[in-house]
Amino acid sequence: MSAALSDGLSDGDTEALIAERRYEIISKIVSEVVREKRREWTKTDLFDHVFLHKVLGIPIFLALLWAVFQFTFTFSEPFMVMIEIFFGWLGTVAAQNIENEMIASFVSDGVCNGLGSVLVFVPPIFSLFFALAVLEDSGYLARAAFVMDRLMYRMGLHGRSFIPLMCGFGCNIPGIMATRSIESEKDRMITILVNPLMSCGARLPVYVLISGVIFGGGYAAGTAIFCIYVLGIALAVIMALIFRRTIFRGKPSAFVLELPRYIMPTVRSTLIHTWERGKYFLMKAGTIIFGVMIVVWFLTVMPWDATNGGEIIEKSLIAQFGKVIEPVFRPFGWDWMAAVALFFGFLAKEVVVGTYGLLLGGGEEEEAVKDALAGVFTPLTGFAFMAFTLIYVPCVAAVATIYRETNSLKWTIFAVAYLVALAFIVAAIIIGIGHLLGFS
Amino acid sequence: MLDDRMIACVLGGQADRGGGYRRIKEENKMEGFEMGGKIYAAALGALYAVFGVIEVVFVFSGTDALIPADFFGGLVSLVIASTYLAGVRDMRENDFRGIAMLMGGLFLSVVFGVLYLMLMCADFLMYVLGESEEFSVIASLRPEIWLFVAAIPLAYHTWRMLKDVPW
């Protein structure tokens, strides 16, 4: 190793050199002691010929990734509706059968809405984890990391960074935790820092709501959401390159990977893996979101007499608080409600939609919220709001995970600070370019 | 140096080689995949390509009749078509790697056929729940579902041919 280093090789080159020599020696020994009757292929070899193909490998991977997202979001949609209907019914029953108005409002709007806004995301989250568990257990995910390595390397990231980043599309928490598989500390730190830019499932309801309002749903709204996802990926690439050339100088380390044999995933192991990942979301994020929704409800209805039980929102505590922080967001054309939604969204991104629901008096009823929001956002300010929601810090649970994984308060604060700064910069650029193009 | 920075060591299946694989040989020659099978695979590939192009074109033309206007769905169909057609190209020269490509194409046909069937069920559930105004089985049956059904005989034939090949 010292000879290699003295020749001016980087750490990554040295590792590759060591690995190369190791496999040369293995090949030499094997050729001397093992006599093969005939070189024959297994099914694993056959599938690898396709999945690791130099031309078709990446398109096939992207196709399977698209299938995962379709399964996650489209297949789980009716189950989300069922949960919405159930909690809507529960809230109505509670409101009708409780005489005390304040307790009825607490149970109906606070508890049922709060619990409903958490559990409504269980189907997509569990669907995503189920699909990822199938890919992982079958042995394909290791191949995906392999075919993506070349691309990741150009981005200044390690091949193993790919899986944590992909997990980030479901939830940033397991994505950040998955960086444990990256041996190089620099590669791992970069992956942790850019992981929050992968748009997690919790942000999707915000995009769906806002794009539905400003673009009227359909293809235009879908394209806007797709643009936000692409924006997140583009920013992750840019930030990874910046970090690689400034704070974490050097090349990504060599990618040595042993590909497991393909196996048919068993239902039991897949369900266990799904539950192991899903319960974390359910227990941690669930408790936080539920608690926040109760707090938001309280601030929305208090003082009880002045707000007439939450009817006159402008006189509530939350309105007073929102107007204090509104000036920060006013340059982007966002009102105090947006400021409050973003503030509480720091605790959990789903809360942005839930907060709008409570503020606009529609509970979680999407149509009522959409109608009210139509007068709040223009296409430009709405798109900037979506971009800000994507970037401006992950939820508090993800921040706690960053702290736990980096074991450093300094890097945790840095992650939050750079994301907030980036969110303001990107939102300002969007608004600025929009104004130059003549949008209001 | 290694090919770029990657070193892949395929484990598993290496130690237990020695069984008689009837069809697949090291010299890249296979003992004949019937002409009918090759034509069938070529037809599947061509149909995937045609439907993929139509789905993409429909997005830009604003058309949406029987074949959906689906940009990404169309691209996926083109990927499946490429896999089939690459397999047919190799199989024409009796190269066993053609069977590998064919397996890949069949695998993708099954994955997306099942996926679209599940999405059709989800659409039906949305209709039952009152979230969508209408549901038509005919309109929901995407070409990829028909092609998945059409691929089943070829998948069965390939599976039988490779059943002695270990994992």
Side-chain angles (χ1 to χ4, degrees), chain A residues 198-238:
Chain A
M198 297 291 111
S199 192
C200 68
R203 290 170 225 193
L204 188 69
V206 184
Y207 308 151
V208 172
L209 179 69
I210 304 296
S211 64
V213 168
I214 60 178
F215 296 111
Y219 186 71
T223 306
I225 294 173
F226 177 74
C227 289
I228 289 292
Y229 272 85
V230 172
L231 176 68
I233 295 167
L235 287 172
V237 171
I238 293 166

Side-chain angles (χ1 to χ4, degrees), chain A residues 174-191:
Chain A
I176 293 163
M177 289 170 71
T179 58
R180 290 176 190 178
S181 63
I182 302 169
E183 289 168 10
S184 161
E185 195 57 29
K186 286 181 179 178
D187 296 338
R188 186 163 178 261
M189 282 302 301
I190 293 175
T191 311

Side-chain angles (χ1 to χ4, degrees), chain A residues 15-86:
Chain A
E15 282 181 42
L17 199 63
I18 291 168
E20 185 184 5
R21 292 284 180 269
R22 184 182 295 143
Y23 280 90
E24 273 178 12
I25 292 166
I26 290 170
S27 299
K28 193 179 173 189
I29 294 170
V30 168
S31 66
E32 286 175 5
V33 300
V34 176
R35 187 183 299 165
E36 281 193 76
K37 289 179 182 175
R38 188 192 296 160
R39 170 73 171 86
E40 290 172 327
W41 283 46
T42 62
K43 286 195 181 89
T44 294
D45 295 332
L46 290 169
F47 274 118
D48 274 345
H49 178 68
V50 185
F51 293 139
L52 302 181
H53 195 271
K54 62 182 178 184
V55 178
L56 287 171
I58 290 179
I60 288 174
F61 159 68
L62 292 174
L64 290 174
L65 193 63
W66 185 79
V68 167
F69 279 102
Q70 286 295 316
F71 174 74
T72 300
F73 299 120
T74 311
F75 183 67
S76 63
E77 209 176 352
F79 302 102
M80 294 174 74
V81 171
M82 286 180 200
I83 294 170
E84 268 179 22
I85 291 172
F86 173 73

Side-chain angles (χ1 to χ4, degrees), chain A residues 19 39-47 50 53 63 66 71 146 149-150 153 226 253 255 257 259 261, chain B residues 1 4-9 11 17 19 21 26 59 72 100-101 103 112 116 118 129 162 165-167:
Chain A
R39 170 73 171 86
E40 290 172 327
W41 283 46
T42 62
K43 286 195 181 89
T44 294
D45 295 332
L46 290 169
F47 274 118
V50 185
H53 195 271
W66 185 79
F71 174 74
F146 187 86
D149 177 63
R150 198 166 300 182
Y153 185 77
F226 177 74
S253 58
F255 186 33
L257 177 69
L259 301 178
R261 193 168 56 169
Chain B
M1 287 294 285
D4 286 338
R5 309 159 35 255
M6 297 182 289
I7 304 157
C9 177
L11 294 180
R17 283 175 179 158
Y21 311 156
E26 170 59 20
V59 172
F72 289 104
M101 283 294 180
M103 279 172 64
F112 283 94
Y116 290 134
M118 291 171 82
L129 292 167
L162 299 173
V165 177
W167 282 96

